[in-house]
Amino acid sequence: MKNITNLFLLATISLIGACQSNSESAPANSTPTESHSDFRVQILHPDGEKVISPQAQIEVIAEGHEWTEGPLYVPDGDYLLYSDIPRNAIYKWTEAEGSHLFLQPAGSTGLIEREGQPGSNGLLLNAEGRLVLCQHGDRRVAIGEKPSDNIKPEYETLADKYQEAQLNSPNDGDFHSNGDLYFTDPPYGLDKNMEDPAKELDFQGVYRLKPDGQIDLISKDLKYPNGIALSKDEKKLYVANSGKERLYWM
């Protein structure tokens, strides 16, 4: 495993400022369009301009959430899904209708009695177009139905244990074209984080889940593995280590 310092990051989006709200009240169905001058796109390498313009403006498209994660664009329907972790819900945003509740519960379905952050985090679509969720609450990677207006909160477990030990709280993932799913497992979904008595693993892993259900440990060297992505040619796996101004590739 090697690391790439922030000098080699193609682009970083920094959101300066945050909106806090009561997590018990649902956000309004609105589409704020104002730009915020204190939000900015920071490009740290010239190649980043191939991905996003340095003049790009950040636009607020939904408000009223306390903590959101896992944005997923769904081409079939041209809309965005994202996780609201404290509300244990997934929201849907469209240009025409704004943001509204899409799926609940999304991360905690009662499989595990626990405290901590209950919702889903990373969201993906598999090759068949079904929704795959990194569930903090149930401490697993799960699969649901294809996204639709009639979707039900019914899930099957894809991965919940490594060598008989319960995963911490799967956070983010990325699919290889061969069907392998790479995902990270930090402790953020646990109430007491590293010191949570329900934590069964003594490390925070990066894993590969094969289509046949086999789980391989790729690395246990990162303290807080978080965002994860394969390179375009699928020869490198990039992993963000929270709290460190660098990416790692494996």
Side-chain angles (χ1 to χ4, degrees), residues 102-137:
F102 179 73
L103 188 62
Q104 190 178 42
S108 180
T109 64
L111 289 180
I112 298 175
E113 283 192 29
R114 58 182 298 282
E115 297 179 351
Q117 295 297 339
S120 59
N121 196 314
L123 305 174
L124 307 96
L125 296 177
N126 71 359
E128 290 75 42
R130 294 177 65 183
L131 184 63
V132 174
L133 311 90
C134 294
Q135 293 184 319
H136 274 187

Side-chain angles (χ1 to χ4, degrees), residues 236-249:
K236 293 185 178 70
L237 181 68
Y238 294 96
V239 184
N241 191 24
S242 296
K244 303 288 185 180
E245 292 185 351
R246 60 185 65 197
L247 289 175
Y248 290 79
W249 62 266

Side-chain angles (χ1 to χ4, degrees), residues 13-224:
I13 297 179
S14 301
L15 299 183
I16 311 301
C19 175
Q20 296 291 328
S21 71
N22 184 340
S23 63
E24 294 302 318
S25 59
N29 294 352
S30 59
T31 53
T33 57
E34 69 273 15
S35 296
H36 287 245
S37 60
D38 54 344
F39 291 176
R40 69 180 185 273
V41 176
Q42 182 180 15
I43 297 177
L44 303 178
H45 190 281
D47 284 349
E49 296 182 16
K50 299 175 183 177
V51 181
I52 189 169
S53 167
Q55 282 77 44
Q57 294 186 344
I58 294 175
E59 188 177 290
V60 178
I61 62 173
E63 294 180 314
H65 299 283
E66 181 180 351
W67 180 18
T68 57
E69 275 280 8
L72 170 67
Y73 174 68
V74 181
D76 185 12
D78 187 27
Y79 58 86
L80 181 76
L81 297 178
Y82 60 93
S83 299
D84 184 318
I85 295 180
R87 290 193 182 98
N88 193 18
I90 294 172
Y91 283 78
K92 175 181 177 180
W93 178 88
T94 66
E95 189 77 45
E97 298 179 358
S99 181
H100 62 271
L101 182 65
F102 179 73
L103 188 62
Q104 190 178 42
S108 180
T109 64
L111 289 180
I112 298 175
E113 283 192 29
R114 58 182 298 282
E115 297 179 351
Q117 295 297 339
S120 59
N121 196 314
L123 305 174
L124 307 96
L125 296 177
N126 71 359
E128 290 75 42
R130 294 177 65 183
L131 184 63
V132 174
L133 311 90
C134 294
Q135 293 184 319
H136 274 187
D138 287 343
R139 299 173 64 183
R140 64 176 177 172
V141 179
I143 186 168
E145 303 175 355
K146 291 183 179 181
S148 74
D149 291 340
N150 300 314
I151 191 171
K152 300 179 181 64
E154 299 174 353
Y155 312 106
E156 304 168 32
T157 299
L158 294 179
D160 62 349
K161 291 181 171 62
Y162 176 69
Q163 295 184 345
E164 304 305 319
Q166 184 72 43
L167 295 175
N168 298 315
S169 54
N171 187 91
D172 196 14
D174 196 15
F175 275 107
H176 192 282
S177 60
N178 66 7
D180 289 350
L181 173 61
Y182 293 84
F183 69 93
T184 55
D185 187 40
Y188 295 134
L190 300 174
D191 185 46
K192 296 181 180 178
N193 208 291
M194 291 287 202
E195 286 71 44
D196 198 291
K199 192 176 190 302
E200 297 183 17
L201 293 164
D202 61 2
F203 59 87
Q204 293 64 247
V206 179
Y207 297 92
R208 176 178 58 195
L209 173 63
K210 294 186 175 180
D212 63 4
Q214 177 181 328
I215 300 178
D216 298 323
L217 178 65
I218 302 299
S219 173
K220 61 177 182 179
D221 297 332
L222 304 183
K223 187 173 183 180
Y224 294 114

Side-chain angles (χ1 to χ4, degrees), residues 4-12 43-46 245-247:
I4 304 176
T5 65
N6 58 356
L7 294 177
F8 293 94
L9 300 186
L10 293 183
T12 298
I43 297 177
L44 303 178
H45 190 281
E245 292 185 351
R246 60 185 65 197
L247 289 175

